[in-house]
Amino acid sequence: MSKPVVAIVGRPNVGKSTLFNALAGENISIIKDTPGVTRDRIYADVTWLDHAFTLIDTGGIEPDSSDIILSQMREQAQIAIDTADVIIFLVDVRQGLQDADSKVADMLRRSHKPVILVVNKVDSFQKFMADVYEFYNLGIGDPVPVSASSRLGIGDMLDEVVKHFPEKAEAQDEDDRPKVAIVGKPNVGKSSIVNKLSGNNRVIVSDIAGTTRDAIDTDIRWNGKEYIFIDTAGLRRKNKIKEELERYSIIRTVTAVERADVVVVVIDAKEGVTEQDAKIAGIAHERGKGIIIAVNKWDAIEKNDKTIYEFTRKVRETLSFMPYAEILFISAVSGQRLPKLFETIDMVIENQTLRVQTGVLNEIVTEAVAMQQPPSDKGKRLKIFYVTQVAVKPPTFVIFVNDKELMHFSYVRYLENKIRESFGFKGTSLKFIIRERKESD
């Protein structure tokens, strides 16, 4: 089940990033292995009471002149409208109600998405309340006063936000067709793949980078089985500066990945694997999705008997944080190996939902421990009491040990490799949670 997405929209300097940081706080996990994940802090996983959601900051694009500000804000608002389940519209009590605020409010109102109007920089409720009421004029509901920098009123604001999340039961009975997100840089042929699979040109494609419209869901039947393909489209404007394009496409990627069971990362064979590919793949890896790397335009490459090995080696090197990902060489134009894509998707989904019995799991771990002694420190050795699988999508294991500090990352990886040797788990990441227990327990 995918988490709700909440986006923050607002004029420059109203405090979007301050609010983002206040909410994301300690929740931003720094994953050493995943490139670029923490550098672009556009999104974070946030938990409030028993609700988990993905928070998106559309800020960071701070234009200088006022007419650009408006068009940029519209662009940001549009992205929030397209991708978010709930929108936080941030305004500034000290600057008061501005023309740009009203124009964006109109767009948000027409979107029929839930909008929470949040008035920032209210450091004292007594002093500023009269100014807060001015924002009723926007006509999008009751303003919620907060101070992002001193974290006042944040709880009340989050209570309003989570009211709009779908009920848990409601969210559970979504359809169970496999959801596949097609992600990658602009122009690697994402839409062409979806078109070829669905046998019609419903996604508008041309050779200009960023010409696809929004993320479009396409239902595709293959061998009597239905799949939903989520195409993370590019952007409307073609003349945007490159960094913004990347930033926006990352936002779209995050929301598509959030909804998917399996993520197909498309790489351009002619360009080779790049840092941006690693960034995009990192989002899927971080979220524990099933992953297939599809090298597209393979028909356009001059080949000899070593080409495939060379290319595979480069992909494995650049994406070294996900050695489990499956690699396919395809062509959207000729349809080469596209049937193999469905077989691989089915296999990855099977592995994502595979459950291993505790008894069998512990036999493997006991054997692994016998083959390679666990680490020790100052005479104290790590003891592994037992291991159990607690979840699927991704398969998640809890390892009970005598001392968490002794459980080195490298030893977890060693155990992971042993578990993979026995059960495969091809195409999916595995998650390990280390818990401490006393000897006497």
Side-chain angles (χ1 to χ4, degrees):
M1 205 210 85
S2 61
K3 290 198 294 254
V5 175
V6 177
I8 305 175
V9 177
R11 275 183 302 106
N13 306 321
V14 293
K16 292 190 292 290
S17 297
T18 313
L19 179 62
F20 177 81
N21 292 337
L23 295 177
E26 301 309 303
N27 293 323
I28 296 214
S29 51
I30 293 181
I31 297 200
K32 304 196 183 43
D33 252 19
T34 315
V37 167
T38 40
R39 279 202 303 272
D40 318 348
R41 292 206 354 194
I42 303 177
Y43 63 92
D45 297 318
V46 180
T47 320
W48 176 246
L49 308 174
D50 58 346
H51 296 279
F53 61 92
T54 298
L55 181 69
I56 288 180
D57 177 16
T58 61
I61 299 162
E62 306 295 25
D64 30 16
S65 81
S66 58
D67 55 325
I68 300 184
I69 286 182
L70 200 65
S71 73
Q72 290 284 13
M73 278 197 63
R74 284 207 179 109
E75 187 84 30
Q76 286 176 14
Q78 194 54 56
I79 283 188
I81 289 165
D82 295 343
T83 57
D85 298 295
V86 181
I87 297 162
I88 293 176
F89 180 26
L90 199 62
V91 292
D92 180 341
V93 77
R94 316 245 162 139
Q95 296 174 19
L97 182 54
Q98 306 268 331
D99 187 35
D101 293 328
S102 309
K103 295 213 163 89
V104 172
D106 289 341
M107 267 181 86
L108 294 175
R109 202 171 31 245
R110 284 196 299 272
S111 76
H112 301 299
K113 288 264 174 112
V115 177
I116 314 295
L117 174 60
V118 178
V119 184
N120 191 20
K121 306 187 188 175
V122 182
D123 299 324
S124 140
F125 289 166
Q126 279 83 14
K127 203 164 104 192
F128 287 110
M129 256 353 245
D131 299 323
V132 170
Y133 292 137
E134 180 194 3
F135 290 96
Y136 269 107
N137 292 323
L138 288 171
I140 45 176
D142 303 335
V144 181
V146 304
S147 163
S149 58
S150 46
R151 299 183 178 224
L152 274 171
I154 298 274
D156 293 342
M157 177 192 82
L158 287 171
D159 287 343
E160 286 304 314
V161 169
V162 300
K163 272 182 198 165
H164 296 282
F165 291 172
E167 287 297 311
K168 293 229 173 10
E170 211 180 290
Q172 288 307 354
D173 61 32
E174 282 181 45
D175 67 42
D176 48 2
R177 292 177 292 178
K179 292 183 191 58
V180 183
I182 305 277
V183 305
K185 296 187 315 230
N187 265 15
V188 290
K190 300 187 289 289
S191 302
S192 312
I193 293 173
V194 177
N195 286 341
K196 191 72 176 178
L197 295 176
S198 62
N200 65 6
N201 280 348
R202 35 170 310 200
V203 194
I204 309 140
V205 184
S206 80
D207 282 345
I208 316 160
T211 44
T212 335
R213 296 274 309 222
D214 259 279
I216 303 171
D217 287 7
T218 311
D219 302 338
I220 295 175
R221 285 182 74 88
W222 183 265
N223 278 349
K225 195 171 162 191
E226 285 191 29
Y227 301 81
I228 297 174
F229 277 75
I230 306 163
D231 177 20
T232 48
L235 284 132
R236 298 184 167 70
R237 313 270 182 286
K238 305 183 211 22
N239 54 1
K240 279 277 178 276
I241 356 175
K242 187 162 181 293
E243 264 157 43
E244 280 178 34
L245 248 174
E246 280 189 9
R247 188 183 175 90
Y248 281 143
S249 57
I250 292 262
I251 289 179
R252 294 259 161 93
T253 302
V254 173
T255 49
V257 165
E258 200 62 80
R259 291 175 49 213
D261 303 308
V262 175
V263 176
V264 177
V265 181
V266 184
I267 291 175
D268 186 327
K270 293 188 287 198
E271 254 184 79
V273 59
T274 66
E275 194 52 41
Q276 181 70 0
D277 294 322
K279 230 182 236 185
I280 290 167
I283 294 169
H285 168 73
E286 223 200 352
R287 279 168 163 57
K289 302 294 180 175
I291 300 180
I292 298 168
I293 294 153
V295 182
N296 189 25
K297 310 184 189 174
W298 192 243
D299 53 336
I301 296 287
E302 291 285 311
K303 298 184 221 16
N304 59 31
D305 54 355
K306 299 197 177 48
T307 320
I308 258 187
Y309 299 109
E310 277 300 299
F311 205 99
T312 304
R313 190 181 57 76
K314 286 199 187 96
V315 169
R316 291 285 181 220
E317 234 165 64
T318 310
L319 308 181
S320 60
F321 54 91
M322 39 194 269
Y324 55 85
E326 286 290 291
I327 302 178
L328 288 180
F329 293 87
I330 63 168
S331 161
V333 175
S334 70
Q336 179 188 12
R337 288 202 199 84
L338 287 184
K340 184 93 174 108
L341 185 60
F342 287 101
E343 282 168 39
T344 313
I345 288 167
D346 289 346
M347 176 198 76
V348 171
I349 287 176
E350 210 169 289
N351 288 336
Q352 272 255 297
T353 51
L354 183 63
R355 284 187 185 274
V356 180
Q357 289 173 334
T358 303
V360 184
L361 197 56
N362 283 287
E363 275 171 32
I364 283 151
V365 171
T366 308
E367 203 174 294
V369 169
M371 282 163 66
Q372 189 173 325
Q373 282 276 343
S376 62
D377 184 39
K378 302 194 180 64
K380 187 175 185 186
R381 187 170 292 285
L382 171 73
K383 266 195 189 148
I384 294 177
F385 298 125
Y386 77 101
V387 185
T388 181
Q389 184 177 352
V390 293
V392 293
K393 281 189 175 182
T396 304
F397 303 91
V398 175
I399 305 179
F400 290 97
V401 298
N402 59 342
D403 185 348
K404 260 167 105 161
E405 297 301 303
L406 291 172
M407 186 55 138
H408 291 207
F409 173 67
S410 57
Y411 201 72
V412 175
R413 185 163 272 185
Y414 163 70
L415 293 177
E416 173 175 345
N417 291 338
K418 288 292 171 209
I419 290 171
R420 282 186 187 279
E421 276 170 30
S422 307
F423 303 105
F425 282 119
K426 282 164 83 166
T428 176
S429 63
L430 302 180
K431 195 169 156 201
F432 291 91
I433 300 163
I434 314 300
R435 293 250 168 90
E436 233 169 74
R437 304 195 67 166
K438 294 287 161 277
E439 299 268 343
S440 53
D441 292 352

